[in-house]
């Protein structure tokens, strides 16, 4: 059975590796069908999915184009969603939630594997989101963050667990533990400021 997500992912690969540059028109549906080996109906559904998440934009009588500033949009969306998750975490976190946050934070700090860096980083942020006890917000943040990670890898950003990032994680955890929402939001803004600035240039 054909999986629409897989087709969308194949089109994203064409975009992410530069075969279809940012701002350029995607190949016609018939050509995409030939390239991907699926029917036009599946291609259309995959394109609808990509448009829904903002990766492409459809222009009437013209076709589908790779969206500009998609990376920046992802980082901005992550910041908005994670801000709300953190506010809720400050209010709703339990001792068990704090324990998971501590554990994932320590795992990230001790990690020496470049390959696992992003995975362990996102595990900490996921633990914070789950601590807010709003599964819809946490799921949306996970979805957006997973998309953003594709670009982190592409541009080789946030690839090293340096002292600054480790301290920001610790400061964020401490603010949540102390129920200090203002401090938590301030730490998050600082934590994502560099990647946000970078994304806006790419």
């Amino acid at each position: 059975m054909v999986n629409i997500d897989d087709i969308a992912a194949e089109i994203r690969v064409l975009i992410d590796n530069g075969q279809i540059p940012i701002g350029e028109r995607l190949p016609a549906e018939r050509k995409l069908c030939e390239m991907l080996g699926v029917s036009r109906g599946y291609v259309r559904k995959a394109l609808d999915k990509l448009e829904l998440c903002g990766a492409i934009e459809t222009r009437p009588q013209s076709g589908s184009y790779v969206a500009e500033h998609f990376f920046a949009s992802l980082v901005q969306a992550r910041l908005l969603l994670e801000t709300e998750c953190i506010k809720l975490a400050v209010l709703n976190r339990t001792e068990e939630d704090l324990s998971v946050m501590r554990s994932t934070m320590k795992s990230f700090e001790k990690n020496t594997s470049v390959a696992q860096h992003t995975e362990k980083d996102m595990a900490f942020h996921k633990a914070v989101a789950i601590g807010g006890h709003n599964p819809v917000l946490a799921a949306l943040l996970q979805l957006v963050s997973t998309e953003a990670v594709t670009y982190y890898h592409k541009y080789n950003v946030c690839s090293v667990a340096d002292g600054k990032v480790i301290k920001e994680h610790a400061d964020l955890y401490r603010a949540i533990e102390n129920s200090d929402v203002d401090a938590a939001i301030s730490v998050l803004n600082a934590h994502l400021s560099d990647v946000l600035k970078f994304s806006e240039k790419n």
Side-chain angles (χ1 to χ4, degrees):
M1 183 176 179
V2 178
N3 188 311
I4 300 301
D5 288 338
D6 291 340
I7 299 172
E10 288 188 56
I11 298 174
R12 280 291 304 276
V13 168
L14 298 175
I15 295 171
D16 293 338
N17 67 16
Q19 287 182 252
I20 310 176
I22 292 173
E24 292 297 314
R25 186 180 184 277
L26 271 68
E29 288 182 3
R30 181 181 298 176
K31 179 65 175 177
L32 286 173
C33 291
E34 295 174 1
M35 294 169 65
L36 302 174
V38 295
S39 69
R40 183 171 291 188
Y42 288 117
V43 167
R44 284 177 178 168
K45 289 180 180 178
L47 292 176
D48 287 343
K49 190 175 185 67
L50 290 171
E51 184 174 22
L52 184 64
C53 76
I56 67 172
E57 57 183 33
T58 300
R59 302 174 188 172
Q61 309 301 318
S62 182
S64 299
Y65 291 76
V66 179
E68 298 187 49
H69 309 302
F70 183 50
F71 183 22
S73 295
L74 285 171
V75 179
Q76 290 163 3
R78 178 189 169 185
L79 179 58
L80 290 171
L81 289 168
E82 194 156 6
T83 295
E84 295 308 311
C85 286
I86 286 173
K87 289 178 181 178
L88 291 174
V90 168
L91 294 172
N92 301 330
R93 92 294 185 278
T94 64
E95 288 301 318
E96 183 179 353
D97 293 326
L98 289 173
S99 177
V100 176
M101 290 179 208
R102 278 196 306 272
S103 176
T104 54
M105 179 178 68
K106 294 299 181 184
S107 178
F108 175 78
E109 290 175 359
K110 296 176 181 178
N111 178 54
T112 58
S113 169
V114 174
Q116 293 183 356
H117 168 83
T118 302
E119 177 184 339
K120 290 181 178 291
D121 182 25
M122 298 312 295
F124 170 71
H125 288 277
K126 181 179 179 179
V128 171
I130 290 174
H133 293 273
N134 184 314
V136 175
L137 271 179
L140 287 172
L141 177 60
Q142 182 71 15
L143 178 65
V144 168
S145 297
T146 299
E147 285 285 327
V149 163
T150 301
Y151 289 87
Y152 290 4
H153 291 163
K154 178 179 179 180
Y155 295 115
N156 195 32
V157 296
C158 302
S159 59
V160 180
D162 59 22
K164 178 176 179 288
V165 175
I166 289 173
K167 181 179 184 302
E168 287 168 348
H169 279 193
D171 289 345
L172 179 56
Y173 168 79
R174 192 176 304 110
I176 294 171
E177 182 183 40
N178 294 336
S179 300
D180 189 338
V181 66
D182 290 336
I185 300 306
S186 178
V187 172
L188 178 66
N189 287 331
H191 185 58
L192 293 180
S193 63
D194 288 343
V195 70
L196 180 57
K197 290 176 183 175
F198 180 86
S199 71
E200 290 170 345
K201 298 177 182 177
N202 293 275

